[in-house]
Amino acid sequence: MYQVTSVATTAEQAEWMADKVRAGMLARTELGYTYPIAATGYVVMSRELDKEEGVAVASGVYSYVQRFAIEVTTLGS
């Protein structure tokens, strides 16, 4: 699992950052994921958005939490 928390001064900024994270984590070409994840000894097979909480605000600071599930296999399997 990877969790990313985007933090900003406005709700719009937090949502914009979350959109960028989602696009970066899930974007694909015909050759595979646009941005590979290097995990020593493993091969990343798939990724998916596991949880997205949306915008939250505390003390005037906006945040947007996203959690991604990463499926891996060991090299040589």
Side-chain angles (χ1 to χ4, degrees), residues 19-20 29 38 60 70 72:
D19 289 344
K20 297 290 186 186
T29 68
I70 313 296
V72 299

Side-chain angles (χ1 to χ4, degrees), residues 59-77:
S59 301
V61 177
Y62 294 83
S63 62
Y64 196 114
V65 175
Q66 296 165 295
R67 187 171 62 206
F68 297 88
I70 313 296
E71 183 180 4
V72 299
T73 186
T74 57
L75 287 172
S77 294

